[in-house]
Amino acid sequence: MKKALLLAGVLVANSVIFTSCTKEKPVVPKENELITTLILTLRNEAVPSDSVVLRFFDIDGMGGIPPVVSQEGEIRAGTLYNGFITLLDETQDPPGDVNADILATDVDHQFFYLTDGVDLEFTYRDFDRNGRPLGLRMEVKAGTPSAGRLTIILRHYPDKAAPGVSAGDITNAGGSTDIQADFDVEVLP
Amino acid sequence: MGQDECRYRVEVKVVDKSSGRALSDAFVVFRSERGRGPGKLTDKEGVAVFKGLCEGHYHLSITHFGCSPFDGFFLIRSDTSFTAMLSHSVIELPEVLITDNRRSLEEVRMKAIRTEIRERQQFKPIADIATSVPGVQVLRTGGNISKPIIRGMNAQRIAVLNHGMVQAGQQWGNDHAPEISAFIYDSILVVRGISPVHLPAGHLGGAMLAGKSSAFADSHWHGSYAAGFETNGRGHWQHLRLDKGFADAGGIRLDAAFKRSGDMHTPNYYMRNTGMQEWSAGLLWKKNFTPVWNTVLNVDFYRTEIGILRGAHIGNVEDLKEAMSREIPFFTRDEFSYHIDLPRQEVMHLTLSSKTKIHLRNQSEVQVDLGAQINDRKEFDFRRSGENDRPALSLYQWLAFGEVKYSKNFNQLGIQYSITDNTNLPGTGILPLIPDYLSHRASLYYSGQKKLWQKEVSWGLRYDRVYYQAFPIVRSIPLEVLEDVRYYGGFTLNSTINLIQRKNFRLDYEVQLTNRIPEINELFSFGLHQGVAGIEEGNSELRREKAFQQHVNSLVHIGKVTVRADAYGYLFGDFINLEPTGELRSTIRGAFPVFAYRQYDRSLVAGADAIAEYQITEQVGLEIKSAVLYAHHLSEQKPIAWMPANRAEAGFRIKLPEVQRVKSGEWRIHVLMVDRQRRIFENQDFMPPPPGYVLFHTGVDFSIPLKKNYIAVSILMENALNKRYRDFLNRWKYFSDETGINISVSLRYKF
């Protein structure tokens, strides 16, 4: 019994010594998969100076700060626009260019443009190595005056060969969602 | 040495360990250096008599229908008679019934998985094997990742011990199984309810203990070789064990095992990317330095690669809804493959431990245990950037453990110390779910047993002091790493009383008060949980969880019927649970439901487990099991989510006649009925609970004697009717059906 108590005592002493041994603070990890910003720029084909910029900005990824959605310029009925998407990681300085990542893996990505109530028609203008749509560049036709929602979705590993997917129909695309940004938009007369 | 003196008479009596009944028709064989002796069957009194045995060492093996085989090693140098006790039933614990010797009540609480069940199923995840104990269920992520649930308690509330050490990884989340190979262990013990206070963890809800035997038969090389295959997933495995005793009764033992399987199959389609590979190896060395001092060294290595169902890789909650609406998961291909692609887990554990026992005078002993574990976990997922060789999660954890224990008779006093250092290896480019942390845990315990008022009473006290130094990441702009240092104290008080102890009836009452210290993931986790598209948020404000639990365990023998029925109730204060908060967080990746750890003032978990065995005739045995559970947050009047549904099982064992050289044949038919989990609200899960189901399993075991040994063959057919179903406790229920029919064949040769 005495022996046991002695050993126990040694262990307690050890524990006190060990407690003083602490861990060093780790460096702030670098998050390189983050996308903070999606910008859809629409340029009037006829009047290049006339443009619309839709911006979806979410600084903290999974964090609790709500995203900020903004719009500059107005979409006019009956206008044909050249559209392009810019993806950024603005937590970096200078902001990280996410477009380059998407272009490098174009076969595994596709954008989808879903409209609800608003008369906008999207046509893909860029294609991957297999000749299937990517969707960083597109043509947008604003139809009749209307208001509703535009949802831009970037799918990772969609099945681009599935029926309708190459025409921009997401129903059979599958894959996982990398980006989903909603905009309330209006086509003005 | 007296080879000519072959004149000894040896009488062997074989009895059932739990009831003390004599077992007739048990097959008893002596083997010596000179080869295998004639075998004999025991008579109605359970006795087999051997005459004309020579002086010398003998192996004795006894087999009986429905029993775990008995193996022993003896020196015979006079006429001898002895009794061998065979575990004749699943209900094998209370040996006390047949002996006047006092037994440790602690021992009585532990439930060992029968050897033949373990050997028949050792290619499965270890938690799946434990489900043969009523009241034990599993929380699955597909077919290869299973976490045990004991009487409704899982994760942090229970412990998985690997040769006495806490197996790391249980705090990493629900999709992290206890990574232990069932091949290289000899025993799997399940503690339902109250755990002995000397276990380093699992004091609230029980424990599962994988252990190795350090008993060596003799000083020759012995061993076993097992191999097998299964049709579903086209899995195959091999296990080799070698052991050799030393003259000092110590010995050395080596194990090596490998398993590989490919894409599993539901009744209708292949589950793409559900293959796995597993390597395990073990070394055990026991030395008796002096008659009173022995040391056991143990080294275990485990490495696995597990594929995650391709269709379970989703982005946001819209993807989850879409996946749930599909009959067949996305990316399903109509072809089989062994290839393990993305997503996948790669895990390595290396465990080293030593146990030193020093026997002192007066039947007392001191035991000193030391151990260390190195754990490496990597998870690979589809990267947007295409850098798929870069892990999305890379954790390195080491832990060190030390214990000194003094025991005398049934009393134990001990002190434990453990350090855990968890580091997220940089370079993943993804913020880790569990932060870097360091923890120190010092524990002191005392347990004892005494006869009070003619009743056997045991008690245990334990105090834990925990220090956490964690480095949670704050999602501020820019990111910031905090340092959070805190201390906790927690205690456990328990007692077991053997209320009734008669020849045919035993009743035990257990009671425990526990104060559980919140774990690191409950306090600090933050991030996306793949597979459920949920954001998980720890809660650094959590208080200790308090639990008051009572268990009543009974055992009855009536003629040929043996019944064990247990009832239990846990009353919780500040029950910690991960729950949907109702918030749908909008991000650039879409919307994600937020899950947070929160506490409930009062919660109740109550239930009952029962098992009954009926030996209908000499040839036919029936076994019936059932488990029911009720789990409710009393303070908010809502069910506790993710609890097992009620279930019942029935199994027949039919002894087959000997055909030519095929012996000890047994045919088993097994029906499992699982009810729909009705006790859940709509807002507690993404989809309504799947309907209940009924599964049929069947199997045949037999052995083929060879010159000196025998080959044991086990054929198992699971989900024999190829039933299509989904299980409430499988996290892939949103995506895929469960696996269909599986036929496995295992061979085992002991030498």
Side-chain angles (χ1 to χ4, degrees):
Chain A
M1 188 68 191
K2 271 182 191 163
K3 207 165 175 180
L5 284 175
L6 184 73
L7 280 165
V10 169
L11 219 79
V12 170
N14 272 340
S15 65
V16 175
I17 296 161
F18 272 129
T19 316
S20 59
C21 105
T22 53
K23 198 171 163 73
E24 263 183 47
K25 197 174 189 172
V27 292
V28 178
K30 229 176 143 186
E31 203 177 5
N32 69 352
E33 296 263 302
L34 199 65
I35 305 171
T36 58
T37 317
L38 178 145
I39 302 166
L40 172 65
T41 311
L42 302 175
R43 267 196 198 129
N44 190 332
E45 280 196 0
V47 191
S49 60
D50 171 22
S51 67
V52 182
V53 178
L54 294 166
R55 184 168 182 264
F56 191 101
F57 176 66
D58 176 21
I59 188 68
D60 64 343
M62 292 293 136
I65 303 172
V68 180
V69 182
S70 60
Q71 179 175 351
E72 286 170 30
E74 282 156 357
I75 306 172
R76 294 284 165 188
T79 313
L80 201 60
Y81 293 96
N82 269 323
F84 56 93
I85 295 259
T86 310
L87 301 175
L88 299 172
D89 173 7
E90 293 189 74
T91 59
Q92 294 179 43
D93 187 26
D97 175 14
V98 184
N99 280 37
D101 286 351
I102 304 292
L103 283 167
T105 53
D106 53 4
V107 176
D108 305 327
H109 285 101
Q110 185 174 344
F111 281 91
F112 295 90
Y113 300 91
L114 280 56
T115 52
D116 183 13
V118 62
D119 187 4
L120 290 172
E121 201 185 304
F122 286 77
T123 312
Y124 291 109
R125 278 289 172 260
D126 57 351
F127 299 89
D128 66 19
R129 277 160 274 171
N130 301 330
R132 296 203 166 108
L134 174 60
L136 277 170
R137 310 179 69 83
M138 82 268 0
E139 191 177 87
V140 183
K141 196 168 143 193
T144 51
S146 51
R149 174 162 287 202
L150 166 67
T151 303
I152 301 175
I153 294 176
L154 172 63
R155 279 282 169 91
H156 196 187
Y157 288 101
D159 182 359
K160 294 195 187 186
V165 175
S166 282
D169 180 0
I170 199 167
T171 315
N172 298 312
S176 58
T177 303
D178 273 353
I179 293 177
Q180 181 167 348
D182 289 335
F183 298 93
D184 288 324
V185 289
E186 205 174 338
V187 175
L188 298 171
Chain B
M1 53 163 218
Q3 287 217 4
D4 46 337
E5 286 189 60
C6 295
R7 57 186 171 80
Y8 296 120
R9 180 181 185 277
V10 177
E11 189 181 305
V12 181
K13 180 165 186 179
V14 183
V15 298
D16 177 18
K17 201 173 179 182
S18 56
S19 66
R21 278 199 311 263
L23 295 177
S24 59
D25 290 324
F27 191 64
V28 184
V29 184
F30 278 97
R31 281 187 292 126
S32 71
E33 305 274 274
R34 292 178 287 278
R36 183 172 177 271
K40 280 202 170 162
L41 291 173
T42 54
D43 61 18
K44 277 190 179 159
E45 308 297 313
V47 175
V49 179
F50 295 82
K51 289 174 186 159
L53 289 180
C54 314
E55 181 170 332
H57 288 93
Y58 286 89
H59 289 275
L60 168 67
S61 61
I62 304 172
T63 48
H64 185 261
F65 163 63
C67 293
S68 300
F70 176 94
D71 281 299
F73 187 67
F74 297 88
L75 170 65
I76 292 172
R77 50 183 178 196
S78 67
D79 287 352
T80 311
S81 78
F82 69 93
T83 303
M85 288 186 280
L86 264 64
S87 305
H88 187 253
S89 70
V90 171
I91 313 157
E92 66 187 56
L93 277 170
E95 308 88 340
V96 208
L97 290 183
I98 52 156
T99 164
D100 290 333
N101 294 341
R102 289 174 64 201
R103 292 284 165 143
S104 156
L105 289 171
E106 217 158 68
E107 244 175 74
V108 174
R109 284 205 291 264
M110 299 204 183
K111 178 72 201 71
I113 309 293
R114 285 165 67 191
T115 310
E116 68 273 19
I117 293 178
R118 186 177 50 74
E119 288 185 347
R120 197 186 292 143
Q121 305 194 1
Q122 62 179 359
F123 59 92
K124 293 188 179 174
I126 199 160
D128 283 359
I129 303 172
T131 56
S132 66
V133 176
V136 179
Q137 274 110 46
V138 289
L139 177 63
R140 287 176 200 286
T141 303
N144 293 322
I145 300 173
S146 301
K147 277 177 89 104
I149 303 177
I150 302 173
R151 290 187 171 166
M153 302 291 118
N154 71 352
Q156 286 80 16
R157 294 186 185 90
I158 64 168
V160 177
L161 302 184
N162 170 357
H163 205 72
M165 275 185 71
V166 176
Q167 178 71 18
Q170 293 308 284
Q171 73 282 37
W172 289 336
N174 285 335
D175 45 359
H176 306 224
E179 283 115 0
I180 292 179
S181 157
F183 287 110
I184 66 171
Y185 294 92
D186 306 310
S187 68
I188 302 168
L189 287 169
V190 176
V191 184
R192 296 178 300 177
I194 292 169
S195 296
V197 286
H198 68 79
L199 295 186
H203 299 106
L204 202 148
M208 193 172 90
L209 291 72
K212 280 182 180 178
S213 157
S214 53
F216 295 89
D218 60 31
S219 55
H220 316 126
W221 280 104
H222 284 279
S224 64
Y225 174 74
F229 67 90
E230 58 184 331
T231 54
N232 202 329
R234 301 185 201 172
H236 54 88
W237 57 89
Q238 295 184 65
H239 170 222
L240 177 69
R241 167 175 305 166
L242 293 171
D243 59 66
K244 183 184 192 306
F246 301 145
D248 65 4
I252 188 162
R253 166 176 159 181
L254 302 158
D255 284 277
F258 171 71
K259 186 193 172 186
R260 183 180 198 196
S261 68
D263 291 345
M264 286 182 285
H265 199 275
T266 72
N268 300 323
Y269 49 86
Y270 283 108
M271 299 162 78
R272 186 167 165 196
N273 198 43
T274 54
M276 61 91 76
Q277 287 194 66
E278 177 187 289
W279 299 261
S280 51
L283 165 74
L284 184 137
W285 178 81
K286 181 182 180 185
K287 176 127 183 92
N288 292 295
F289 290 98
T290 72
V292 296
W293 169 24
N294 74 61
T295 295
V296 177
L297 278 178
N298 183 49
V299 183
D300 286 323
F301 171 80
Y302 181 86
R303 190 183 134 70
T304 189
E305 246 185 83
I306 301 177
I308 301 296
L309 180 72
R310 182 68 180 83
H313 174 84
I314 49 168
N316 58 26
V317 73
E318 298 292 323
D319 294 3
L320 178 64
K321 280 184 196 153
E322 200 176 329
M324 282 191 296
S325 70
R326 291 181 65 98
E327 189 89 338
I328 294 175
F330 275 117
F331 303 106
T332 297
R333 271 192 316 205
D334 197 21
E335 60 187 63
F336 171 83
S337 172
Y338 279 115
H339 182 62
I340 301 169
D341 202 339
L342 299 167
R344 70 172 184 275
Q345 302 183 354
E346 292 183 11
V347 186
M348 190 278 290
H349 294 283
L350 179 66
T351 309
L352 304 132
S353 69
S354 82
K355 289 178 192 293
T356 299
K357 269 187 196 173
I358 301 161
H359 295 273
L360 309 173
R361 273 163 297 177
N362 315 326
Q363 308 256 304
S364 58
E365 65 175 39
V366 172
Q367 186 174 334
V368 180
D369 292 358
L370 293 169
Q373 204 177 84
I374 296 168
N375 311 284
D376 183 43
R377 164 175 289 271
K378 288 189 172 60
E379 293 188 7
F380 295 85
D381 214 333
F382 294 98
R383 308 288 296 239
R384 194 196 66 230
S385 52
E387 288 179 299
N388 291 340
D389 293 333
R390 171 136 70 136
L393 173 110
S394 182
L395 269 179
Y396 178 82
Q397 186 183 88
W398 65 260
L399 64 99
F401 174 75
E403 175 173 5
V404 179
K405 174 163 80 181
Y406 171 80
S407 48
K408 185 176 180 181
N409 297 328
F410 293 116
N411 300 304
Q412 286 186 334
L413 174 67
I415 182 160
Q416 292 169 342
Y417 199 86
S418 66
I419 307 171
T420 307
D421 185 327
N422 186 80
T423 307
N424 290 283
L425 299 180
T428 61
I430 290 174
L431 299 185
L433 185 70
I434 311 283
D436 288 11
Y437 71 89
L438 178 75
S439 87
H440 292 256
R441 179 184 288 258
S443 319
L444 183 71
Y445 63 84
Y446 171 65
S447 65
Q449 182 171 332
K450 226 183 173 138
K451 207 150 192 168
L452 291 173
W453 316 291
Q454 308 284 301
K455 311 254 180 255
E456 209 64 59
V457 179
S458 77
W459 60 87
L461 319 165
R462 181 184 172 95
Y463 181 74
D464 291 277
R465 182 91 182 139
V466 173
Y467 161 85
Y468 286 141
Q469 185 198 13
F471 298 97
I473 299 164
V474 186
R475 261 53 176 187
S476 55
I477 314 297
L479 291 173
E480 200 188 334
V481 176
L482 291 185
E483 181 175 356
D484 190 312
V485 173
R486 50 179 79 201
Y487 290 88
Y488 285 100
F491 67 85
T492 298
L493 289 175
N494 67 34
S495 180
T496 304
I497 304 166
N498 174 220
L499 290 173
I500 301 172
Q501 173 71 75
R502 290 196 205 119
K503 196 168 184 332
N504 292 319
F505 182 58
R506 179 188 172 103
L507 190 71
D508 291 307
Y509 171 74
E510 304 175 350
V511 59
Q512 176 166 291
L513 201 57
T514 323
N515 220 331
R516 184 176 73 86
I517 298 162
E519 296 288 333
I520 287 284
N521 62 325
E522 296 170 322
L523 292 165
F524 299 117
S525 64
F526 190 103
L528 185 64
H529 239 198
Q530 285 292 349
V532 292
I535 296 172
E536 180 177 321
E537 288 188 353
N539 178 355
S540 60
E541 306 291 313
L542 291 178
R543 300 172 299 276
R544 291 170 303 177
E545 180 178 271
K546 295 102 195 157
F548 173 69
Q549 53 178 293
Q550 301 177 83
H551 303 253
V552 178
N553 306 327
S554 70
L555 179 83
V556 188
H557 295 292
I558 311 161
K560 289 177 171 177
V561 180
T562 304
V563 179
R564 180 168 184 158
D566 304 341
Y568 57 89
Y570 293 81
L571 188 63
F572 285 95
D574 289 330
F575 184 83
I576 300 174
N577 209 18
L578 182 64
E579 302 244 319
T581 59
E583 179 193 346
L584 205 58
R585 184 168 295 168
S586 178
T587 77
I588 200 161
R589 294 171 65 179
F592 294 85
V594 178
F595 290 74
Y597 285 95
R598 57 158 296 189
Q599 289 188 296
Y600 287 87
D601 289 346
R602 270 174 303 124
S603 305
L604 173 75
V605 176
D609 316 320
I611 176 166
E613 282 196 325
Y614 175 35
Q615 195 65 39
I616 303 167
T617 68
E618 278 297 308
Q619 273 72 36
V620 183
L622 170 67
E623 180 185 293
I624 295 169
K625 289 189 247 187
S626 79
V628 293
L629 183 84
Y630 174 87
H632 205 75
H633 293 301
L634 299 174
S635 47
E636 297 193 11
Q637 288 304 323
K638 68 173 185 179
I640 303 179
W642 289 97
M643 284 287 169
N646 298 335
R647 63 183 57 213
E649 289 172 65
F652 281 100
R653 290 197 301 216
I654 300 154
K655 185 180 178 180
L656 299 175
E658 284 188 14
V659 185
Q660 302 274 351
R661 297 187 56 194
V662 178
K663 304 210 190 291
S664 338
E666 182 182 299
W667 176 32
R668 296 179 314 277
I669 308 162
H670 191 94
V671 189
L672 168 68
M673 289 156 282
V674 178
D675 193 15
R676 182 192 186 108
Q677 177 54 284
R678 296 158 208 281
R679 298 196 31 76
I680 187 162
F681 288 165
E682 207 178 301
N683 61 2
Q684 288 180 303
D685 199 356
F686 296 105
M687 72 181 218
Y693 56 87
V694 178
L695 296 183
F696 287 87
H697 308 307
T698 183
V700 177
D701 285 359
F702 56 89
S703 61
I704 303 166
L706 303 174
K707 210 170 184 179
K708 275 177 83 174
N709 302 293
Y710 61 92
I711 294 180
V713 182
S714 179
I715 301 167
L716 196 61
M717 189 194 282
E718 291 163 292
N719 192 3
L721 302 180
N722 210 14
K723 163 98 179 159
R724 193 178 151 225
Y725 70 106
R726 293 191 184 196
D727 187 80
F728 175 69
L729 290 179
N730 192 335
R731 287 157 51 90
W732 287 356
K733 67 182 173 185
Y734 310 120
F735 309 104
S736 157
D737 292 336
E738 294 285 331
T739 50
I741 186 169
N742 184 27
I743 301 168
S744 59
V745 178
S746 327
L747 306 173
R748 173 175 301 276
Y749 176 68
K750 286 185 179 162
F751 52 88

